[in-house]
Amino acid sequence: MKQELYNQFIERKNQGKKSFTVLIDPDKVDAAAIEQLVNLSTEAKVDYFFVGGSLVISNHLDECIKQIKAACDIPVILFPGSPSQVSRYADALLYLSLISGRNPELLIGQHVVSAPFVKKSGLEIMPTGYMVVDGGAPTTVSYISNASPIPSDKNEIAMCTAMAGEMLGMKLIYMDAGSGAKRPITETMIEKVASHIECPLIVGGGIIEPEKAYRNCKAGADVIVVGNAIEKDISLIKEMAAAVHSVPVNV
Ligand code: 1GP
């Protein structure tokens, strides 16, 4: 199986380099918006695009990705809310298992059904332990997943969940307070999780200030994901990327 992008994640982690990711929800962008996002992201040296959403209603996922790929070299990684969100035009796929929930469909069920189709896509597959943490309001992901999030102050539960995910073979851990969360994940929880796993840690959900992105990285996040805040104010791309990239390398 392909490991190109994953190796880049590991290399960056080993070098102590933090990465900034812009989340693009295909339902919320048209061609003009994609062009603007790509231009600003290239200027700001954004490291990755995640493309996906809990619900993708429109059917222009392929077109959206083709447009991004034609306009820049920033890798496009699918962040699918359902097995239908697979596009062979992307570079890789976060193969998410909702390890914080107890809904067997999202732990393994949907994977079984879509496995031949996913394999055939030829995409680089990144096995990801997906952990939803309570963000202070019901988000689309918590409703759709029909699974309770980890309470925001239960750092030990988060830590044990991430450890179990890694020992089960997950190559990435993604802690998400959900898109548009009122409260992003605390630095104490990030620190607790990061200090007990070796694989790269992705953190997202409700991050609206560059300072918070910076503090999350200092606490141990390797990749910061921002969607909503950028949809509201596109100029944040530059500030967010600069904040994440300004975290000192801990050699
Ligand atoms: C959601 O982690 C992502 O799955 C990003 O969240 O849209 O709140 O930035 P926001």
Side-chain angles (χ1 to χ4, degrees):
M1 276 213 284
K2 276 196 262 180
Q3 284 236 139
E4 239 169 87
L5 265 181
Y6 184 68
N7 289 343
Q8 197 188 101
F9 271 55
I10 293 294
E11 210 172 298
R12 289 182 69 87
K13 183 173 175 71
N14 290 343
Q15 293 168 347
K17 283 189 189 159
K18 308 295 183 178
S19 306
F20 181 61
T21 296
V22 173
L23 172 64
I24 300 177
D25 182 339
D27 278 342
K28 297 188 182 156
V29 285
D30 56 14
I34 295 175
E35 189 181 341
Q36 200 188 8
L37 271 169
V38 168
N39 288 343
L40 288 174
S41 300
T42 307
E43 259 173 54
K45 297 197 167 42
V46 164
D47 299 286
Y48 305 102
F49 286 122
F50 283 179
V51 177
S54 296
L55 274 179
V56 171
I57 299 160
S58 62
N59 58 358
H60 71 136
L61 181 65
D62 282 349
E63 272 56 47
C64 171
I65 294 172
K66 280 200 245 175
Q67 191 191 342
I68 302 171
K69 293 300 298 172
C72 70
D73 293 327
I74 302 171
V76 175
I77 302 175
L78 292 164
F79 173 40
S82 70
S84 62
Q85 292 175 38
V86 173
S87 166
R88 65 190 173 89
Y89 300 104
D91 296 293
L93 167 81
L94 294 181
Y95 200 54
L96 305 166
S97 180
L98 184 65
I99 57 173
S100 59
R102 298 296 177 268
N103 176 346
E105 275 307 301
L106 300 177
L107 271 164
I108 181 69
Q110 295 194 350
H111 310 70
V112 173
V113 174
S114 59
F117 166 67
V118 170
K119 183 118 191 184
K120 206 172 152 200
S121 71
L123 290 163
E124 176 175 341
I125 306 296
M126 300 172 135
T128 305
Y130 187 49
M131 294 171 42
V132 178
V133 178
D134 185 16
T139 54
T140 313
V141 64
S142 55
Y143 176 76
I144 296 283
S145 67
N146 191 21
S148 326
I150 295 176
S152 57
D153 58 347
K154 299 291 182 201
N155 299 340
E156 278 72 22
I157 297 181
M159 175 192 93
C160 295
T161 306
M163 287 169 74
E166 183 172 51
M167 288 191 285
L168 278 165
M170 304 293 170
K171 299 281 202 251
L172 298 166
I173 295 291
Y174 187 162
M175 293 169 81
D176 196 348
S179 201
K182 281 193 182 147
R183 283 193 316 256
I185 297 171
T186 64
E187 284 120 73
T188 22
M189 184 180 274
I190 295 170
E191 204 169 348
K192 193 87 184 168
V193 168
S195 57
H196 286 84
I197 57 170
E198 283 164 37
C199 66
L201 176 62
I202 305 170
V203 176
I207 302 171
I208 55 171
E209 287 161 355
E211 296 72 27
K212 175 61 177 153
Y214 181 89
R215 291 199 306 273
N216 284 353
C217 291
K218 288 281 281 180
D222 298 293
V223 180
I224 297 293
V225 185
V226 179
N228 250 270
I230 288 169
E231 282 160 21
K232 292 192 183 119
D233 175 8
I234 200 162
S235 70
L236 262 180
I237 292 182
K238 202 172 168 189
E239 291 170 54
M240 288 280 185
V244 169
H245 293 148
S246 72
V247 177
V249 174
N250 49 341
V251 268

